[in-house]
Amino acid sequence: MIRVHDLAKTYPMPGGEFPALTGVDISVEAGEFVAVVGRSGSGKTTLLNLLAGIDRPTAGQIRVAGIALHEVPEARLAAWRGRAVGLVFQFFQLLPTLTVAENVMLPMDFCGTVPARRRRPLALELLSRVGIADHADKVPAGLSGGQQQRAAIARALANDPPVILADEPTGNLDSSTAEAVLGLFRDLARAGKAVVMVTHERDLSGYADRLVTLVDGRVAEDVAVSA
Amino acid sequence: MRPRTVKMWRDLSAARGRVAVMILAITVAMSGVGALLIARTVIVREAEAVYAGTNPASATLEVEGGVDAALLAQVRARPGVTDAVARQTVLTRVRVGDQWRRMLLFVIAPDDPMRVAKLRMESGAWPPADGELLMERTAGPVLDAAVGDRLAVAGPSGATTEVRIAGTVYDAALAPAGQESVGYGYLTPAGLARLGFTASADELRIVTAERDEATVAATATGVAAWLTNQGREVHLIQVPPYQHPHHSQSETITGMFLAFAIAALVLAGVLVAATLGAMLAAQTRQIGIMKTVGATTGQLLRVYLGAVAAIAATATVLAVVPALLAGYGLTGLVAEMLNVEITNRATPWWAPAAFFAVGLVVPLAVALVPLVRAARITVRSALDEHGAGTRVGTRRGDRWLTRLRGGRLSALALRNLLRRRGRLALTLALLAAGGAMFTSGLNSSAAWRSWVDDGMARRAYDAQLRLAAPASVDTITRAASVVDGVIAVEPFVSLPATPASADGQIEVERTYPDDGHGRFLLAALPVPTRMVDFEVTAGRWLQAADTDGVVLNQSAVSRLGDPRVGDEVHLAVDGVVGRWRLVGTVAEAGGPATAYTSPQSVTRFVDPGTANMLHIVTAGDTAAVTGAVEGALTSAGLTVGESMLTEDLRTAIDEHVAIFIGTLLALAALMAAVGILGLAATMSITVTQRTREYGIMQAIGARPTVIRRMVVLEGTVTGLLGSLVAISLGVPLSILVGELLGRISFGLPLPLRLSPGGLVGWLLLSIVAAAAASLVAAHRAARLTVRETLTYQ
Ligand SMILES: Nc1ncnc2c1ncn2[C@@H]1O[C@H](COP(=O)(O)OP(=O)(O)OP(=O)(O)O)[C@@H](O)[C@H]1O
Ligand SMILES: [Mg+2]
């Protein structure tokens, strides 16, 4: 589902080029849950942005959900992203003026994947899958952090994308809520999605299948998580 | 509803205040656009309709000795001529109370078929009895009379005869009587003879099959040549444009005003764009999120354009009623001013379509750039926390800024102001454009007034009198100067003249056959004269040695085809062509086209030492003294044909443009309103965008009053800067408007005059409005709690 080969990304800085990623090789299959860890500044977010097509690589190949991201023009990526990738952020990033259900319906609207009359029932279904169906008609500000993150996950699933990318989704949650969210991602992987999650959580056993460790923009370790 | 549409509505309703300002700005501008669209289309069409409805003559030939029925029949048979009538126009006076008024008598034979230059009877019947006349419907106030009243009309000897007003007519080809301060009467040759005048139908009016000027001129010249062959003398050929006499003026002026109104609309569009741009800038992150869930640039752009369209459509619909009220109000005023009867008030079919199209398209077009910019932002930069921030310290201005250190409030406010250079530029542009048009409206009106004041001040005389026949200068001077209250008397010669060509041929004139529009005078003033001191625009004024020198005023210059100083000028008086050398040109406010020359150069037209007019300077009640002078002249055996007070001339001049100045001022106010709204909108945007910053300042101990004072200071400085830019931009704009307004009313650009009231008014208005707008915004900012401001999105 995800094939990354010899990926590099450098940022232009006043003092010269800054290499955020160098020679990264990673593969993620459908049904796999991969956790990416590393110190602050090691390039985790950079990698995720490249996988989501939000940023362009400086060198290397990157194939996600069947398309070669390094070859496709920027303009075509938006629609692809809406269908192929579900994104989850640390700060939830729900639109404040829309209700939770409307937030979930938004990707269906933009991508035209679901007929208008089917959108709300589908959104409610997704919300009950993440356990917050009761809050469907509240605005995000009325929800707790954990509930907002569940809503964000429901939104990431709106178009049933094969790939889920999450950047520190538990960073703003207490440990028991964080575990529930990790459980959700594990279930998504079991259901066949390729899940890549950047995290600072220490104990991922029982959730992630593999652990990729980045150090200074290089893959230092890529190991299976022991159960 | 689609979630994206829901989001747009919620965002708009959350920003209710700003949306209201945007709508108001467009509504105000569209009211102006609509009003002028109505006035322009209806007036121009109706003026043409009533004018064409009179079946005006294609050409008028002045034939010495008059045209009788037999000759008329022959003229009708000339090639190219489809119809012909012979009329006569006599300028005399009428006694109104204890004053004289000018009176134009239009003489029409009882058997005139009334197919050419038609009149419409409003009351009474044609022809009137010998002791009666019909009055033009606008002449009532000038003559202070109504149907059934008797008028004391002067004959050639000055003695008056009573004539009864038997009814009224509508003559669409004439300007309103009040505007020209002249009474219009219609009577038969017998009625004219009863007053003592010789009836002689010397104006031959012909209608040609083709109305284009070349054909008409050729036909008229052919008829003139034929008449000359018949031994008749033709003094004048007039071929007026086949248009209402005020057609081009009303078209130019309403066009200029329409341009002003559209400029106001563009301004309102800029305001909308700026406000939306700011609202979207605050939503950058949300745009990024929408893009991560699959929104394309095109989709977002359509949502935002939808918002603008909704705002513009609401505003345009709201503008319909004010536009109709103002438009028909203005139409009525202009119609009255042009003596045009509106029979069809409907606008052409395309006018409502154009109104709605302009109301939608202009705001959308102006808003397109900021909207595209906002919608095009990449997810990367929308969600970025790195490097996308402003790089302070690179530009020269920034380095200067960082030097403005210290905790002082003013320094901080100034730095804030300059930090958002784009926003500041926009606010200033809005204020400046609004203010420039506001001040130029007031400047033009001041220029108008000062030009007329100056024109009046350059006339030393308080009244001018015309004698029925030339008389000895000594007799005139002796008779007039003994009258109590007369300070100075200066007799002179003034003769109706006609531009002629170098070979002595009478030229075809492009003027109208009424006496006001298109008169040309040859005036021989004493050299030097004490009575006029016109501004010399080229060459010089007359000198005693100039035996054949002539000085033309601007109307005469354009009538003679823009001759240059040194050129030869040819004028015909009563069919006799004379040659002069152009020594200079002057600017003259009001008055007909005039060629000024010396008494010795007119001796072939009048006896030396005689004059037919006099200027007088009076002390005290001018009207009374002028009346006494008339009495003295009559006692000396002279007949006074006309007297005109200088102050009446001024009234006539002012009447001609009163509405245009009024409209200009109304539009100026409209512009000011849009400019101020723009300022209010941008001030509130600025404050909202800084909410977080104010929270931080409060968190580190700044009191709300300090913040409020800072914001107000920033707003006031913006207002001050904006009005300074406005005032300087207003100068070239005033020149432009003055050029246009002056050219169509006087044939000369108006001088640049700065209206102190306008300048100070705008300065105060924008500063006060800026302070008020920022105070409101600051009040809100200072009231927010620290926690609220820090979580503000
Ligand atoms: N737009 C940018 N311009 C310049 N440098 C950047 C940019 N984005 C990231 N970097 C640099 O690239 C490196 C990797 O950044 P990245 O955001 O991927 O780190 P991270 O592993 O996600 O860190 P954290 O755990 O703190 O989120 C950092 O040193 C960062 O400063
Ligand atoms: Mg990161």
Side-chain angles (χ1 to χ4, degrees):
Chain A
M1 193 52 61
I2 296 176
R3 292 263 179 285
V4 171
H5 177 61
D6 203 15
L7 187 67
K9 174 73 186 173
T10 55
Y11 289 113
M13 293 296 276
E17 300 278 282
F18 175 82
L21 289 177
T22 353
V24 172
D25 287 281
I26 294 177
S27 304
V28 183
E29 304 305 327
E32 230 183 340
F33 182 0
V34 174
V36 179
V37 296
R39 292 234 294 268
S40 182
S42 56
K44 306 182 295 292
T45 299
T46 304
L47 175 62
L48 220 57
N49 281 346
L50 292 172
L51 293 178
I54 286 172
D55 222 340
R56 318 280 286 171
T58 314
Q61 285 110 51
I62 175 163
R63 300 188 161 274
V64 178
I67 85 164
L69 288 183
H70 53 279
E71 287 168 357
V72 175
E74 184 96 33
R76 272 183 45 205
L77 287 180
W80 165 83
R81 195 183 299 121
R83 289 160 196 262
V85 183
L87 278 162
V88 180
F89 305 92
Q90 178 178 358
F91 294 103
F92 326 134
Q93 310 284 28
L94 296 166
L95 297 190
T97 51
L98 292 182
T99 65
V100 169
E102 285 161 348
N103 263 287
V104 177
M105 287 154 70
L106 201 60
M108 310 179 197
D109 178 20
F110 281 126
C111 296
T113 44
V114 179
R117 40 197 17 260
R118 284 273 307 126
R119 284 175 195 158
R120 189 171 160 87
L122 183 58
L124 293 179
E125 195 185 311
L126 290 169
L127 287 172
S128 67
R129 220 166 120 191
V130 298
I132 52 162
D134 295 349
H135 303 290
D137 293 320
K138 288 186 182 170
V139 289
L143 267 58
S144 73
Q147 288 164 339
Q148 288 192 47
Q149 195 58 297
R150 287 161 189 263
I153 294 170
R155 186 181 62 188
L157 296 172
N159 289 328
D160 196 20
V163 175
I164 302 287
L165 303 174
D167 194 354
E168 294 185 43
T170 57
N172 260 27
L173 305 175
D174 65 70
S175 57
S176 64
T177 315
E179 278 181 25
V181 167
L182 290 179
L184 272 173
F185 282 115
R186 180 194 53 206
D187 297 346
L188 290 173
R190 296 286 171 273
K193 307 223 177 280
V195 180
V196 177
M197 178 183 71
V198 168
T199 187
H200 285 296
E201 297 289 331
R202 278 151 212 273
D203 186 11
L204 293 163
S205 55
Y207 298 109
D209 303 315
R210 265 165 60 207
L211 193 65
V212 173
T213 308
L214 289 184
V215 175
D216 292 341
R218 293 173 188 279
V219 178
E221 210 179 20
D222 186 346
V223 295
V225 176
S226 48
Chain B
M1 218 190 291
R2 302 178 128 194
R4 57 177 111 160
T5 322
V6 171
K7 172 170 158 43
M8 178 192 100
W9 285 118
R10 297 230 179 102
D11 289 347
L12 287 184
S13 80
R16 243 166 285 128
R18 275 185 214 165
V19 171
V21 168
M22 292 189 264
I23 290 179
L24 188 60
I26 298 182
T27 303
V28 167
M30 281 307 291
S31 302
V33 170
L36 283 158
L37 204 60
I38 291 171
R40 180 181 168 85
T41 52
V42 173
I43 283 291
V44 170
R45 181 195 60 212
E46 293 296 295
E48 286 325 295
V50 291
Y51 186 64
T54 65
N55 190 25
S58 309
T60 297
L61 289 76
E62 210 179 283
V63 184
E64 177 79 42
V67 177
D68 58 20
L71 188 61
L72 202 55
Q74 285 176 289
V75 171
R76 286 199 183 112
R78 296 304 306 162
V81 178
T82 56
D83 207 345
V85 290
R87 304 259 174 96
Q88 183 181 2
T89 308
V90 174
L91 175 65
T92 182
R93 302 203 290 174
V94 58
R95 192 87 204 168
V96 177
D98 57 354
Q99 277 192 335
W100 285 105
R101 291 275 161 80
R102 294 199 307 146
M103 179 87 187
L104 262 177
L105 296 175
F106 298 98
V107 187
I108 306 177
D111 60 352
D112 189 294
M114 277 288 183
R115 290 188 305 250
V116 178
K118 280 185 281 190
L119 307 171
R120 199 186 68 206
M121 299 304 139
E122 296 221 315
S123 68
W126 184 260
D130 292 356
E132 295 177 339
L133 56 70
L134 300 179
M135 168 178 83
E136 214 283 327
R137 64 175 192 171
T138 58
V142 174
L143 298 173
D144 192 20
V147 174
D149 289 353
R150 282 164 196 287
L151 294 174
V153 182
S157 68
T160 62
T161 307
E162 291 225 321
V163 183
R164 205 180 79 90
I165 302 174
T168 56
V169 303
Y170 169 42
D171 189 343
L174 292 177
Q179 217 180 81
E180 308 288 328
S181 31
V182 60
Y184 301 126
Y186 301 80
L187 39 60
T188 59
L192 183 74
R194 196 176 146 266
L195 296 175
F197 290 103
T198 318
S200 161
D202 57 359
E203 290 164 14
L204 174 62
R205 306 198 179 183
I206 59 172
V207 176
T208 56
E210 299 299 322
R211 287 283 192 174
D212 69 286
E213 281 182 21
T215 314
V216 173
T219 311
T221 324
V223 172
W226 178 81
L227 284 167
T228 313
N229 269 340
Q230 303 293 301
R232 308 302 300 270
E233 217 175 288
V234 177
H235 290 176
L236 181 77
I237 305 172
Q238 286 176 324
V239 178
Y242 186 52
Q243 276 177 344
H244 191 275
H246 291 115
H247 175 94
S248 55
Q249 270 108 318
S250 36
E251 209 174 46
T252 316
I253 294 193
T254 52
M256 173 179 95
F257 288 163
L258 193 58
F260 256 63
I262 289 178
L265 181 62
V266 170
L267 216 64
V270 171
L271 186 153
V272 170
T275 311
L276 278 176
M279 284 166 67
L280 293 182
Q283 288 204 358
T284 306
R285 179 167 290 273
Q286 295 192 35
I287 294 171
I289 297 164
M290 287 192 277
K291 285 200 158 181
T292 62
V293 303
T296 61
T297 299
Q299 285 174 329
L300 292 180
L301 188 60
R302 279 196 292 280
V303 172
Y304 298 139
L305 287 176
V308 178
I311 288 168
T314 310
T316 306
V317 168
L318 285 178
V320 167
V321 170
L324 285 173
L325 289 177
Y328 282 111
L330 186 62
T331 305
L333 287 173
V334 177
E336 203 173 296
M337 197 185 130
L338 300 183
N339 193 20
V340 165
E341 192 174 75
I342 307 286
T343 49
N344 177 8
R345 285 163 56 94
T347 54
W349 65 268
W350 55 264
F355 176 74
F356 287 104
V358 165
L360 270 181
V361 170
V362 171
L364 280 174
V366 178
L368 197 62
V369 172
L371 292 190
V372 167
R373 193 183 303 159
R376 258 206 347 223
I377 189 165
T378 61
V379 182
R380 182 78 181 85
S381 53
L383 299 180
D384 199 8
E385 275 131 23
H386 290 273
T390 46
R391 286 184 189 152
V392 181
T394 50
R395 284 205 250 172
R396 186 173 306 177
D398 287 317
R399 253 172 275 142
W400 175 73
L401 265 185
T402 41
R403 236 175 283 149
L404 283 170
R405 284 193 195 284
R408 276 183 309 129
L409 190 66
S410 51
L412 199 55
L414 244 167
R415 263 158 76 176
N416 275 339
L417 191 63
L418 292 175
R419 206 176 48 180
R420 304 228 99 207
R421 243 168 297 233
R423 169 77 23 76
L424 177 66
L426 203 94
T427 314
L428 290 184
L430 273 171
L431 257 184
M437 299 205 212
F438 178 77
T439 52
S440 73
L442 292 175
N443 285 347
S444 305
S445 134
W448 174 267
R449 220 163 292 132
S450 98
W451 161 255
V452 177
D453 282 343
D454 179 66
M456 290 302 138
R458 287 173 179 279
R459 293 178 165 92
Y461 59 91
D462 297 305
Q464 94 180 8
L465 295 95
R466 187 167 58 79
L467 301 175
S472 139
V473 168
D474 291 339
T475 315
I476 298 170
T477 313
R478 220 174 303 123
S481 50
V482 296
V483 174
D484 245 11
V486 171
I487 294 171
V489 179
E490 200 177 272
F492 66 101
V493 176
S494 171
L495 302 165
T498 316
S501 63
D503 57 11
Q505 285 283 305
I506 306 287
E507 298 216 324
V508 174
E509 286 193 45
R510 308 279 176 209
T511 55
Y512 292 89
D514 67 13
D515 209 40
H517 295 94
R519 243 179 343 150
F520 196 112
L521 294 178
L522 176 65
L525 303 178
V527 180
T529 171
R530 287 166 296 158
M531 292 300 172
V532 296
D533 175 26
F534 294 126
E535 183 196 342
V536 175
T537 48
R540 56 171 176 77
W541 184 251
L542 296 165
Q543 288 172 356
D546 294 326
T547 43
D548 69 340
V550 71
V551 170
L552 302 175
N553 68 10
Q554 74 276 8
S555 314
V557 169
S558 83
R559 284 280 296 279
L560 291 176
D562 297 312
R564 295 173 175 282
V565 170
D567 286 357
E568 207 168 81
V569 167
H570 308 272
L571 295 170
V573 177
D574 271 330
V576 180
V577 176
R579 285 157 206 276
W580 285 267
R581 179 76 45 196
L582 183 61
V583 300
T585 61
V586 292
E588 183 177 350
T594 309
Y596 293 96
T597 185
S598 58
Q600 50 292 25
S601 82
V602 294
T603 48
R604 70 202 105 157
F605 309 118
V606 292
D607 294 335
T610 64
N612 65 340
M613 293 197 69
L614 61 153
H615 283 142
I616 57 173
V617 180
T618 65
D621 181 355
T622 307
V625 175
T626 307
V629 169
E630 284 197 30
L633 291 169
T634 312
S635 308
L638 308 173
T639 308
V640 177
E642 184 187 357
S643 66
M644 181 138 173
L645 305 187
T646 307
E647 67 188 47
D648 289 345
L649 177 65
R650 163 153 213 159
T651 314
I653 295 176
D654 282 345
E655 285 250 352
H656 268 85
V657 286
I659 290 176
F660 297 135
I661 295 287
T663 311
L664 193 63
L665 291 180
L667 283 170
L670 207 111
M671 286 300 190
V674 176
I676 296 290
L677 283 176
L679 177 69
T682 44
M683 276 321 294
S684 109
I685 293 167
T686 310
V687 171
T688 325
Q689 282 187 342
R690 301 239 184 85
T691 308
R692 180 182 291 269
E693 185 179 314
Y694 297 139
I696 296 170
M697 286 177 60
Q698 286 194 52
I700 59 172
R703 277 175 302 127
T705 37
V706 174
I707 291 179
R708 198 173 305 145
R709 230 181 293 149
M710 206 176 76
V711 175
V712 172
L713 184 68
E714 191 184 327
T716 315
V717 171
T718 311
L720 183 70
L721 282 178
S723 51
L724 291 181
V725 180
I727 287 166
S728 31
L729 277 183
V731 170
L733 194 62
S734 304
I735 295 175
L736 211 76
V737 172
E739 165 93 28
L740 209 79
L741 209 60
R743 281 218 182 275
I744 47 184
S745 39
F746 293 133
L748 273 184
L750 291 179
L752 175 66
R753 284 286 173 284
L754 300 182
S755 147
L759 302 191
V760 173
W762 180 251
L763 203 68
L764 288 180
L765 192 66
S766 52
I767 291 176
V768 167
S774 43
L775 195 66
V776 172
H779 186 66
R780 262 204 330 242
R783 234 185 24 203
L784 292 171
T785 63
V786 175
R787 196 192 62 79
E788 278 173 323
T789 53
L790 291 180
T791 54
Y792 195 91
Q793 258 267 68

